[in-house]
Structures are given as structure tokens and as C-alpha cells.
Amino acid sequence: MDNSILVVMKLSLLFGPLLIGFIGVGVNCYIAYRDLNAILGVFKKSNIVTSYGDVWGNGSFSARCVLASIVSGNVLFPRKHIRNGSLDPNELACLPASIKTRMRWSVGLMFFGVISLVGVVVVAEFLKWLAGA
């Protein structure tokens, strides 16, 4: 195989997961910019959302991005929060499906990007260890 093809393959293995993770971050930024006020408007009785929303809801753009990821995690994995009473299931049902879909994409892409990048690093270290042994 040509050496330049190997270099391109190695770079795509490294930067592919990073690109996927950054796309997830971009979707999260879109949620923070466009949808966060609607999300905070839906959750009036849910302590897990209002406690963070009161602190970071009117803050800087980066604070809103952090708030969007916290709320996305709470909305996508709600069992524990519903069980302990900090998330109202009726309000969760009122959240528009389009926003939930964007949250799924954001969390899924960021999670896939991080896990893939960790996998690439582990395989690279394993191959380095095999070459040294």
C-alpha cells in the first residue's frame, strides 16, 4: 500500500471521531441558542431543570450550552429524576418531539465521538505496545 494512503487512513481514524463529537457539540449549541427558552418554559415544576435554569439560563452562551447538555441528559435519561420527584413526567410529555430529537442527536453524537476516540487511542497504544514487545 502507498504510504500516503496509510497516512490518510490514520488521520481519518483519529479525526473522524473528533468530527462526529464536534457535530454533536454543534447541535448542542443550536439547542442552547434556539430551543433553551422553550425548554425552560415547559419545565416550570421540575426542580432538576429550574434549579440549573435559574442560575445559568440568562448567562453567557457557554453557560447556556452547559445548561442545554445538563437538561438533555435529564430529559433523555429521566427514570431516576422522575422516581425521586425532581422531574415532572407531565412536563416531560409536553416537550416538543423535535427538541427531544435534537437532544438525542446531540447526546448520541457526543457520546459516540468520545467513545470512538477512546477506542482509537486504546488500539493505538496496544499496537505501540505490540511493536515494542
Side-chain angles (χ1 to χ4, degrees):
M1 238 187 207
D2 190 17
N3 194 20
S4 63
I5 294 173
L6 286 174
V7 169
V8 169
M9 287 174 50
K10 288 179 183 178
L11 287 175
S12 66
L13 280 175
L14 178 64
F15 291 115
L18 279 175
L19 179 64
I20 291 171
F22 282 136
I23 291 171
V25 170
V27 174
N28 187 54
C29 289
Y30 180 85
I31 292 169
Y33 185 72
R34 291 279 186 158
D35 298 330
L36 194 59
N37 291 334
I39 293 168
L40 294 176
V42 167
F43 293 103
K44 295 290 186 188
K45 295 185 278 181
S46 297
N47 293 336
I48 193 74
V49 177
T50 57
S51 63
Y52 288 113
D54 291 343
V55 175
W56 289 344
N58 296 322
S60 66
F61 181 69
S62 48
R64 289 176 61 89
C65 286
V66 170
L67 178 60
S69 17
I70 290 171
V71 172
S72 295
N74 292 329
V75 166
L76 296 180
F77 305 107
R79 284 188 187 145
K80 175 186 157 197
H81 304 294
I82 290 173
R83 199 171 40 240
N84 69 17
S86 60
L87 186 65
D88 186 13
N90 296 327
E91 291 178 345
L92 184 61
C94 290
L95 190 65
S98 60
I99 294 176
K100 283 184 187 177
T101 302
R102 281 193 285 276
M103 288 178 170
R104 279 189 201 100
W105 275 102
S106 173
V107 170
L109 288 171
M110 285 190 286
F111 183 74
F112 179 78
V114 168
I115 295 300
S116 300
L117 190 59
V118 168
V120 166
V121 169
V122 167
V123 168
E125 289 297 319
F126 179 69
L127 291 175
K128 192 186 313 181
W129 178 75
L130 280 179

